[in-house]
Amino acid sequence: MSYDLVVIGTGPGGYVCAIRAAQLGMKVAVVEKWKTFGGTCLNVGCIPSKALLHASEMFAQAAHDLPSLGVIVGAPTLDMPAMMKHKDDTVAANVNGVAFLLKKNKVDTHIGVGAIAAPGKVVVTADDGKTTELETKNIVIATGSEVTPLPGVTIDEKIVVSSTGALKLDKVPGRLVVVGAGVIGLELGSVYRRLGAEVTVVEFLDRILPGMDTEIARQFQRMLEKQGFNFQLAHKVSKVEAAGAGAVVTIEPAAGGDAKTLEADVVLVAIGRRPYTQGLGLEAVGVAMERGRVVIDDHFATNVPGVYAIGDVVRGPMLAHKAEDEGIAVAEILAGQHGHVNYNVIPGVVYTEPEIAAVGKTEEDLTAAGVVYKVGKFPFTANGRARAMRATDGFVKVLADAATDRVLGVHIVGRGAGELIAEAAVLMEFGGSSEDLARTCHAHPTMSEAVKEAALAVEKRAIHM
Ligand code: FAD
Ligand code: NAI
């Protein structure tokens, strides 16, 4: 079988790349070792976690928020199998959707582990050991990432779980200890906190959500504490031991000091993800790697001619939309076009309640780079729609270059922040200023008016504050 392009891995990077290449007239195949397409994101990541986040948020709202709106439904009861079925149905609809799209675009699909035997040659080994050889002009590696293990701790996906096990617990743990106050820890911690678990998050650093704007992270930590989260910041886990039907977690101050123990029914290890390249045969063909990541140039090319790489397996944030955009860019480059990804404008969203969304630079980034900037902030307490929805927690922060007024970063904590950030991304993609944002008419009453008001606040002229 001979192709213009073989993509190894069908996560958001791989399947989007394959579809774009097919749209551009290439003969394309994908190789996938799992039984379903869509990779981490659709099978065990973005999609199932958002299904559980939505369902558990509805449960929390029914329990705590509806009475204040005059809606009396009584104390909600949890049907855990039904909630998990909602998640499984959502995953099935999405992975089947990708299968349909690949077929519609005439992309050949090969199920099995793909290995690069030589430039232009991919060998697919199916579960039964049968091999198929694919000839191809180009190869895109889109094999994604896997959970980073905690040294000395065995993940059994029952008591000590990764995100994958946490997405399919059969009951709500009484006590959940989360290791790592990153995106996974706070999202999946939120799911089980809302459903009644006592949640303690152990984080090595002295703050949550490293990389996010510090002011936003601090305020958000207080909001989570109000929701009942316990934090053990500046602590590391030194031991996790089985104890009865649960575990005992030993933690120590990161700077040294006395150890203490936490009892848990379930321990979620969420200390990051690492690139996945096992079984690809990269060493044999001489593809350069650096700290586990495949090294690429500005055009996604590895050092081996005809071999490219995108998504979690290369540098940059491990985000589905970043992988997708790289998939499109490399397909366009292979078709002789000018595919490009603007890494300055990759939004990041934490899908908690409230949500956190950010695009561009943080204040810390700008200070470190010596950029002089202006700040405009607006709280949701002063937004009419937020009051109407009793969603007044949080604020919007716009950072603009002091000399040119160009918007360099926007940070939001608030309900629906993940949707609100899109207008900031469009503005920044067009090199827009805070003046542009402030003079754009925003519908009333909407949460997005807080974004406009924060832009007005850059020049100290917010109207409703
Ligand atoms: P992946 O999605 O990891 O896909 C790689 C694919 O390659 C897999 O299907 C794998 O089976 C296959 N593969 C690997 N090796 C081979 C081989 N040798 N042969 C054949 N196939 C192979 N990101 C967001 O942007 N938003 C979110 O809300 C979000 N939520 C997340 C929640 C969780 C719990 C997790 C774990 C991650 C989340 N992410 C989220 C991150 C997101 O899932 C990844 O950034 C994204 O999936 C990366 O896409 P990818 O195409 O690079 O790789
Ligand atoms: P993360 O990198 O976001 O957070 C890991 C946290 O664990 C960090 O705060 C780190 O300081 C801490 N940590 C590391 N070692 C530790 C130790 N030994 N003890 C205690 N704390 C320790 O990683 P996470 O949450 O596992 O997510 C992995 C990736 O998946 C992220 O890169 C993220 O981009 C992606 N993701 C994205 C989501 C989204 O966009 N909404 C949702 C979930 C995951």
Side-chain angles (χ1 to χ4, degrees):
M1 274 173 271
S2 172
Y3 295 99
D4 294 314
L5 171 65
V6 170
V7 182
I8 307 178
T10 64
Y15 86 75
V16 168
C17 175
I19 291 173
R20 183 71 188 119
Q23 284 176 345
L24 291 165
M26 285 178 240
K27 186 166 163 40
V28 185
V30 290
V31 182
E32 173 55 58
K33 70 185 170 73
W34 288 348
K35 298 280 174 289
T36 51
F37 303 116
T40 304
C41 179
L42 273 62
N43 290 282
V44 290
C46 328
I47 296 299
S49 59
K50 267 79 252 180
L52 290 183
L53 277 157
H54 175 73
S56 60
E57 178 54 22
M58 292 298 100
F59 184 84
Q61 286 193 13
H64 308 298
D65 300 344
L66 292 186
S68 57
L69 302 176
V71 182
I72 310 299
V73 291
T77 51
L78 176 64
D79 181 346
M80 188 81 161
M83 198 175 277
M84 288 293 169
K85 180 177 182 301
H86 157 66
K87 176 215 55 175
D88 293 338
D89 289 350
T90 309
V91 168
N94 279 275
V95 299
N96 292 338
V98 172
F100 165 80
L101 291 173
L102 291 171
K103 198 166 171 195
K104 181 181 155 203
N105 285 282
K106 300 189 174 43
V107 173
D108 283 357
T109 55
H110 299 274
I111 297 294
V113 175
I116 305 176
K121 195 174 287 179
V122 173
V123 175
V124 185
T125 308
D127 262 2
D128 60 6
K130 211 178 120 221
T131 58
T132 311
E133 209 171 277
L134 312 177
E135 301 273 332
T136 179
K137 290 188 188 125
N138 295 294
I139 298 167
V140 169
I141 301 167
T143 50
S145 60
E146 63 175 352
V147 173
T148 303
L150 185 58
V153 175
T154 307
I155 292 177
D156 61 15
E157 298 296 15
K158 294 256 177 301
I159 292 172
V160 183
V161 298
S162 70
S163 52
T164 303
L167 289 167
K168 50 182 188 204
L169 296 182
D170 51 15
K171 61 176 193 291
V172 177
R175 295 154 307 176
L176 173 67
V177 169
V178 177
V179 190
V183 198
I184 292 183
L186 300 185
E187 287 189 356
L188 294 178
S190 288
V191 166
Y192 290 105
R193 174 69 207 124
R194 293 164 186 172
L195 300 179
E198 206 178 276
V199 177
T200 303
V201 182
V202 184
E203 164 61 49
F204 185 74
L205 301 174
D206 62 359
R207 58 163 293 173
I208 66 169
L209 292 174
M212 285 275 180
D213 182 88
T214 305
E215 184 185 13
I216 297 256
R218 287 229 172 89
Q219 285 220 16
F220 182 56
Q221 185 185 332
R222 283 198 286 275
M223 293 174 195
L224 289 178
E225 282 166 346
K226 261 176 42 194
Q227 292 173 20
F229 270 73
N230 302 304
F231 287 98
Q232 293 285 338
L233 300 184
H235 274 78
K236 62 180 180 197
V237 169
S238 45
K239 219 178 344 175
V240 178
E241 288 170 312
V248 172
V249 180
T250 307
I251 65 171
E252 291 170 25
D258 291 343
K260 56 185 169 191
T261 55
L262 303 169
E263 288 179 7
D265 299 297
V266 172
V267 180
L268 165 59
V269 177
I271 59 165
R273 293 181 61 83
R274 61 184 187 188
Y276 182 82
T277 54
Q278 263 172 45
L280 266 178
L282 297 188
E283 299 79 14
V285 278
V287 171
M289 311 272 289
E290 197 180 274
R291 291 192 293 151
R293 295 199 177 213
V294 176
V295 177
I296 52 168
D297 67 11
D298 288 347
H299 296 97
F300 311 100
T302 70
N303 59 317
V304 175
V307 180
Y308 299 79
I310 57 167
D312 280 9
V313 83
V314 301
R315 82 281 176 276
M318 289 185 167
L319 294 172
H321 40 285
K322 175 260 191 188
E324 286 186 39
D325 284 7
E326 290 181 337
I328 288 175
V330 74
E332 291 178 348
I333 289 168
L334 291 176
Q337 300 184 354
H338 300 281
H340 172 72
V341 176
N342 180 359
Y343 290 98
N344 290 318
V345 186
I346 308 251
V349 179
V350 188
Y351 296 85
T352 42
E353 178 57 42
E355 289 181 351
I356 296 182
V359 61
K361 305 291 185 210
T362 62
E363 290 201 56
E364 294 75 38
D365 292 335
L366 295 174
T367 304
V371 176
V372 184
Y373 63 95
K374 288 185 287 188
V375 185
K377 278 194 251 180
F378 192 82
F380 285 109
T381 43
N383 175 277
R385 184 68 181 281
R387 286 197 199 115
M389 299 194 304
R390 299 179 79 93
T392 50
D393 275 352
F395 65 99
V396 180
K397 172 150 91 175
V398 172
L399 306 176
D401 189 298
T404 64
D405 193 36
R406 187 178 177 143
V407 172
L408 303 174
V410 176
H411 304 270
I412 308 174
V413 53
R415 180 160 310 163
E419 304 294 339
L420 295 177
I421 204 68
E423 72 162 313
V426 173
L427 178 92
M428 288 174 64
E429 195 60 53
F430 283 85
S433 62
S434 79
E435 178 84 22
D436 291 327
L437 190 49
R439 290 198 182 275
T440 300
C441 188
H442 285 65
H444 176 76
T446 58
M447 298 287 276
S448 71
E449 287 172 289
V451 179
K452 173 182 170 148
E453 291 270 10
L456 283 164
V458 169
E459 292 297 344
K460 304 195 179 359
R461 55 190 164 132
I463 299 295
H464 294 92
M465 200 172 52

